[in-house]
Structures are given as structure tokens and as C-alpha cells.
Amino acid sequence: MSAETDPVKVMKQEVGKAAAQRVQSGTIVGLGTGSTTAYAIQYIGDRIKKGDLKDIKGIPTSFQAEVLAKEHGIPLTSLDAVDHIDVAIDGADEVDPQKNLIKGGGAAHTREKVVDSLADQFIVVVDSGKLVERLGSTFKLPVEVIPMAYAPVMRAIEKLGGKPELRMGVKKAGPVVTDQGNMVIDVTFDSIDNPGELEKTINNIPGVLENGLFVGVANVVLVGEVKDGQPLVREM
């Protein structure tokens, strides 16, 4: 099967395109991280090239998003140069029925949370495999921590009932290092009963920068699925 006809890839492209269609001229756009969001960035670039979108400024949430945006001709700005963000587009690792999220599979959740929370409208792009009844059921909760504090933070998380592990690099010896130069602890919880409480509790542990629970931040969730070999996009 060629890449062009791989239904999962086509579905991710369609979700990205659906999100990119919602961007309007003259807006400031938060550009998220990850494979589905990458297609949204590509299609925003296509719309700019066609003259369909004008006067767009992007704010990237990661080095990956910055490189992609430049590649696709999206002019970039920064949070110290703007006073608002109109719309942000980003993926998620899990989405519950209340549109709460777990993010951070790409270790960019701190910058993503800053940008996505500031946006007037935050559009989440996912495939249907990311939908869960309860957060934490399929994905570990990522916690970004400053390097000197990783051991005490892991002990504090254990006291909360979590099983923490330091995220190790692939094709790199030693731990994953975030764009901010920090480490990521991935935490397994038996169940996350109150995501809003847990988000605050973990963020209050000294040395924690931010965790991957996004509670009450998402406005729109666009879900892609493959039905009878055909890609479909629906709004949750």
C-alpha cells in the first residue's frame, strides 16, 4: 500500500486540513506539535501560497513546529510581540468526553499549554483511537521537571499513587531533554478521578514545571476515523 492510499495517513491529513480551514485571514495562530498538527501547518502554508489566507502570524509550540512553519512559509512571531492568540491547533494523546486532554507524548506540553491556554479558540486534532472514557487509561501522564529535582519529584508522585519513570531517549543515551532543557517523568495512574485537582496538585510539587493534563482548555475537538476504508472527520 503506498503512503498516499494509506487510510490512516489520509485520515490524519483530512483532520489537519479541516482544522486549517478554520483559520481566518488576519489572525495569530498557535501551531502545535505532532503528526496530525504537522498536516494542519502544511495546509495553512498551502492556503497562504494560494492567496487564500493573508496576514497570518504563527506562534510555534516547539522546535518541530517552528521548523515546519518556516518550511511551509508561515510567518512567525513570539508571545512577547503579541497580546493575544486567535486560534491554536494542536493534537492530544488522550481526550475524554468533557474535552479534557492528556498531552506531552512529544515532550512539548509546557509550551503547548502556554500557547493553547492563551488562544481564544483551541482546536484539538486527533484520530478516534485517542478518545477515552477516562484520562490515564491508555497513556502515561507526562510531567516536565527541572533536572536537579527529578528524584524528589518522583518520590512525591509515588505518594500521590502514581508510578513514575524517567523518559529515556531513543537514539540518544540518557534521558529525553525538552526544548527548555528539562527532563520528563511519565506517570502511570490506576485511574485519574479528578483531572483538574491532579493537574494542580502535581504542578504544586517544587521542581515541576508543568504536566500534561489540559483541563477545560479545548474548545473544539476534530476527530478523524476510517470507516469502510474511507477517512471521515467529525466534530466531537
Side-chain angles (χ1 to χ4, degrees), residues 4 12 56 59-60 63 69 105 112 132 147 153 156 163 173 175 205:
E4 281 68 49
K12 283 187 169 196
I56 291 289
I59 295 191
F63 184 64
E112 289 169 344
V132 295
V153 167
K163 296 182 195 66
I205 300 170

Side-chain angles (χ1 to χ4, degrees), residues 63-79:
F63 184 64
Q64 182 218 23
E66 186 178 331
V67 169
L68 273 173
K70 286 175 179 166
E71 201 179 297
H72 293 292
I74 302 172
L76 296 178
T77 185
S78 64
L79 288 175

Side-chain angles (χ1 to χ4, degrees), residues 13-34:
Q13 288 172 327
E14 290 301 320
V15 181
K17 194 183 276 185
Q21 290 298 353
R22 292 179 179 232
V23 176
Q24 293 171 351
S25 290
T27 56
I28 297 162
V29 187
L31 303 171
T33 308

Side-chain angles (χ1 to χ4, degrees), residues 136-137 140-141 157 160-163 187-192 198 202:
S137 40
K140 293 173 179 161
L141 176 64
I157 285 170
L160 294 174
K163 296 182 195 66
V187 187
T188 308
F189 285 98
D190 288 336
S191 75
I192 297 176
L198 188 63
I202 291 177

